[in-house]
Amino acid sequence: MRPYRNHLAFYHTNGSLDWGSLLCATDMASSLVSRTHLTPRPAAAASTASPCSARFAVRRRRGLVGGVRCQAQASDMDGHYMRRCVELARKAAGHTSPNPMVGCVVVRDGRVVGEGFHPKAGQPHAEVFALRDAGDLAENATAYVSLEPCNHYGRTPPCTEALINAKVKDVVVGMTDPNPIVASKGIERLRSAGIDVRLCVDEEASCRKLNEAYIHRMLTGKAFATLRTTLSMNGVVINQIGSGADQPEGYYSQLLKEYDGVIISSNFAKTNTLPVSREAGAKQPLYIIIAQCENSQLNIPFLKEERAAEAVVLSDSPITVEPAGVDVLVLDQMNLDAILQLLAQRGLCSVLVDFREAGGGIASLLNNFQDDKLVQKVVVELLPVWAVSKGPSDLAFGGSQSFPLKDVEHSEVNGSVLLQGYV
């Protein structure tokens, strides 16, 4: 069947879901940032010699074979320690914007002597914490960092100088920094100080995924947007979250922890409790409330006055909001492009567009999100219920033609099916 035009690609003309299209859309997403001119160590596969022939060759050319083996082993270990950097960096998910998440591991003589991660904007960077942890053992050690060290003075001193002063011997970076203030300048500074710098090719993709929102903001000047919705078995948008999804370790609770903001409609804000992450130590997202064609007053009953600073109302006309203290911005143009630029300017790297109801203000924002490259990811929860539908589909937006989602993943959680993929 031909997909229904103006729909996400997983709908047939009769409104039913084409899960086959979703589960087959597994093209790899294109890289957001080009690699810098680093010289990576050759991977183990670069050597065509078998272990047997290598043992014979060592008698003739011990230096060459020994070098190949050491390079292969170094590549394996680089990947191991870089994965640990990513693991450390994720500890600060939801806390670092507008900064990226970064982890650092200091290794000397095959032993980890220091670890650290960037906890929040304004705090020291990952390299500083790791070097403090290592102390004097950082000298002649190798520092692994998931993102190129900075070389400029901001709210904190440059990490390149910290590494140089600690007298590290090597630095392995997971990826170059797309921030034009950095953009390979950190690598150049380290090399000029006599420090060997190399790229961990095997884990570059995982380092990019870690900071996909930060990268997107740097390259486009807009917040990274993820569209989330819940569907019934017959494809109707429903204002419901699956069992356990909003509890600790539930997917929805984790999304709210990881994203800097969540876009909701004024109708939802007037009649529902506001979404809250229940993850330990979570920083709650900024509530971005879309108020279109509202009366002169908007009451948000479930937002307490002491938490008014945690919300912002975007309106197409002047409006009074209760409780007092909520920031109100009247936009000349109420469209997703302008909103994402505004959020990026306010320091948000990522935003969750929480689509809970058919029609309404949020639906109009999403009319051409694929054509205009405004939404980067889609998360759909399918619940085992059959809902009354007013039409063939409630997701009649997205663009002028059907399109496949990329890198689609699916899982079953408490009887619901969770699908997510990149636009």
Side-chain angles (χ1 to χ4, degrees):
M1 296 183 182
R2 291 182 57 194
Y4 188 73
R5 293 178 66 81
N6 257 356
H7 282 52
L8 292 176
F10 42 83
Y11 278 93
H12 292 304
T13 54
N14 64 2
S16 63
L17 294 170
D18 182 2
W19 297 113
S21 296
L22 263 177
L23 299 179
C24 290
T26 54
D27 297 333
M28 293 300 292
S30 58
S31 178
L32 289 171
V33 187
S34 59
R35 294 178 181 174
T36 190
H37 297 293
L38 290 175
T39 304
R41 289 190 183 274
S47 173
T48 57
S50 67
C52 239
S53 59
R55 283 197 294 271
F56 286 111
V58 74
R59 298 172 184 170
R60 299 189 301 272
R61 300 181 64 186
R62 181 176 298 272
L64 173 61
V65 176
V68 170
R69 284 180 174 173
C70 287
Q71 288 173 342
Q73 291 171 356
S75 177
D76 292 341
M77 296 312 296
D78 283 357
H80 170 75
Y81 293 124
M82 193 58 66
R83 287 190 292 275
R84 176 57 179 163
C85 289
V86 171
E87 182 182 2
L88 288 167
R90 288 194 185 280
K91 292 178 180 289
H95 291 271
T96 63
S97 288
N99 292 351
M101 293 176 281
V102 184
C104 180
V105 175
V106 180
V107 179
R108 178 170 167 173
D109 298 329
R111 184 169 64 92
V112 174
V113 295
E115 289 186 335
F117 63 93
H118 179 47
K120 61 182 294 186
Q123 294 279 329
H125 291 182
E127 298 92 323
V128 173
F129 282 110
L131 291 172
R132 287 178 184 173
D133 193 29
D136 293 340
L137 294 176
E139 185 172 353
N140 292 321
T142 298
Y144 293 86
V145 194
S146 57
L147 183 70
E148 174 188 3
C150 65
N151 188 47
H152 63 282
Y153 282 90
R155 285 191 274 184
T156 58
C159 294
T160 51
E161 298 308 310
L163 291 164
I164 292 168
N165 293 335
K167 300 180 181 179
V168 300
K169 181 178 64 174
D170 306 285
V171 173
V172 183
V173 299
M175 61 169 286
T176 55
D177 194 333
N179 187 342
I181 298 176
V182 184
S184 297
K185 297 180 181 69
I187 292 169
E188 293 167 4
R189 174 68 183 108
L190 293 172
R191 283 180 167 167
S192 70
I195 296 174
D196 178 58
V197 184
R198 62 183 183 270
L199 176 70
C200 183
V201 176
D202 293 345
E203 296 301 322
E204 185 180 10
S206 63
C207 291
R208 291 177 186 242
K209 186 174 178 61
L210 169 71
N211 281 308
E212 60 186 4
Y214 167 78
I215 294 170
H216 180 80
R217 177 174 176 266
M218 281 295 162
L219 295 181
T220 68
K222 302 171 188 175
F224 181 99
T226 291
L227 169 63
R228 192 220 69 86
T229 193
T230 302
L231 300 180
S232 65
M233 288 292 287
N234 55 326
V236 178
V237 174
I238 52 179
N239 181 15
Q240 189 175 340
I241 298 294
S243 175
D246 57 352
Q247 297 303 307
E249 299 186 7
Y251 93 90
Y252 188 67
S253 176
Q254 292 184 36
L255 284 177
L256 294 173
K257 173 188 175 182
E258 295 169 2
Y259 281 75
D260 300 325
V262 54
I263 293 179
I264 55 178
S265 70
S266 56
N267 286 338
F268 179 85
K270 287 187 290 187
T271 57
N272 295 268
T273 57
L274 299 180
V276 174
S277 173
R278 302 187 187 280
E279 303 306 302
K283 176 185 176 184
Q284 299 304 325
L286 176 70
Y287 301 115
I288 304 144
I289 302 169
I290 306 299
Q292 287 183 290
C293 303
E294 281 286 341
N295 296 324
S296 59
Q297 185 165 345
L298 171 63
N299 182 33
I300 309 173
F302 297 101
L303 180 65
K304 296 181 179 180
E305 188 169 348
E306 57 267 25
R307 296 181 57 198
E310 298 176 10
V312 57
V313 172
L314 304 182
S315 177
D316 54 1
S317 61
I319 190 172
T320 301
V321 177
E322 292 289 340
V326 175
D327 197 6
V328 179
L329 301 177
V330 179
L331 304 184
D332 293 332
Q333 292 184 324
M334 182 68 80
N335 58 64
L336 189 56
D337 191 305
I339 291 171
L340 295 177
Q341 290 187 52
L342 172 66
L343 296 178
Q345 292 166 7
R346 292 171 69 99
L348 279 72
C349 289
S350 60
V351 61
L352 185 69
V353 184
D354 205 359
F355 188 70
R356 299 280 195 121
E357 56 190 356
I362 293 184
S364 64
L365 296 180
L366 295 166
N367 276 339
N368 296 296
F369 74 74
Q370 197 273 340
D371 292 344
D372 298 332
K373 310 299 181 187
L374 298 177
V375 170
Q376 286 65 57
K377 192 174 181 180
V378 176
V379 176
V380 176
E381 183 181 22
L382 178 66
L383 295 188
V385 298
W386 197 273
V388 175
S389 175
K390 297 180 181 179
S393 173
D394 290 326
L395 295 178
F397 51 70
S400 59
Q401 59 185 356
S402 300
F403 55 91
L405 298 181
K406 307 180 184 79
D407 298 339
V408 174
E409 298 178 358
H410 67 282
S411 58
E412 183 178 347
V413 183
N414 295 333
S416 301
V417 176
L418 187 66
L419 293 141
Q420 47 190 325
Y422 289 85
V423 177

